[in-house]
């Protein structure tokens, strides 16, 4: 899960998991981070990684964080008059916007 040197801790963990578990998750992430910086094996299957996890007493998996990440939802809109479709990454206010083609009213589809 480590694509850059950023450590992502989802604040939801504070609510949904206990403090102990969060500390474990942070330790786990730091193991990735540390080995990545050192140029050693930082992936779950790597020997260096497993060894370091055992040394610091961190849990073996970090999947809960990935699961909790909010998916990139696409909002679909349609013009009620000419049926022109619009895709937006963010929710848009259908009262404020009108169709760019015909000026008709925009409706939310999905
Ligand atoms: Zn991990
Ligand atoms: Zn239209």
């Amino acid at each position: 899960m480590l694509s850059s040197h950023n450590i992502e801790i989802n604040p939801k963990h504070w609510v949904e998991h206990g403090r102990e578990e969060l500390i474990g998750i942070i330790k786990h992430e730091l193991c990735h981070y540390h080995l990545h910086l050192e140029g050693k094996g930082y992936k779950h299957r790597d020997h260096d990684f497993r060894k370091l996890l055992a040394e610091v007493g961190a849990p073996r998996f970090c999947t809960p964080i990935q699961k909790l990440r909010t998916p990139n939802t696409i909002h679909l809109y349609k013009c009620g008059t000419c049926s022109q479709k619009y895709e937006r990454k963010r929710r848009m206010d259908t009262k404020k916007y009108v169709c760019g083609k015909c000026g008709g009213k925009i409706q939310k589809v999905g």
Side-chain angles (χ1 to χ4, degrees):
M1 76 163 284
L2 195 82
S3 51
S4 65
H5 284 167
N6 297 322
I7 299 175
E8 293 179 53
I9 301 296
N10 193 318
K12 275 187 191 169
H13 272 86
W14 285 110
V15 186
E16 291 176 22
H17 298 270
R19 198 157 182 265
E20 289 296 307
E21 196 176 340
L22 186 83
I23 290 167
I25 289 164
I26 293 170
K27 276 186 188 172
H28 177 110
E29 293 306 317
L30 285 174
C31 288
H32 279 301
Y33 184 72
H34 177 74
L35 291 168
H36 193 243
L37 285 182
E38 301 244 303
K40 290 178 185 166
Y42 64 90
K43 289 181 184 145
H44 290 160
R45 60 168 195 275
D46 291 326
H47 179 73
D48 286 335
F49 185 70
R50 289 187 195 189
K51 202 175 142 219
L52 188 59
L53 282 186
E55 274 171 25
V56 299
R60 283 187 59 188
F61 300 103
C62 62
T63 36
I65 289 184
Q66 284 167 317
K67 261 200 229 157
L68 281 172
R69 246 181 236 163
T70 40
N72 294 325
T73 38
I74 297 273
H75 299 279
L76 274 179
Y77 297 89
K78 195 182 87 173
C79 171
T81 312
C82 73
S83 295
Q84 169 71 37
K85 286 190 181 107
Y86 296 93
E87 280 182 19
R88 290 287 180 278
K89 280 195 181 135
R90 287 187 201 167
R91 197 174 274 275
M92 67 190 234
D93 188 354
T94 52
K95 282 175 200 137
K96 271 192 198 162
Y97 295 93
V98 292
C99 173
K101 248 172 126 185
C102 73
K105 275 193 176 177
I106 303 232
Q107 300 167 351
K108 181 137 175 51
V109 186

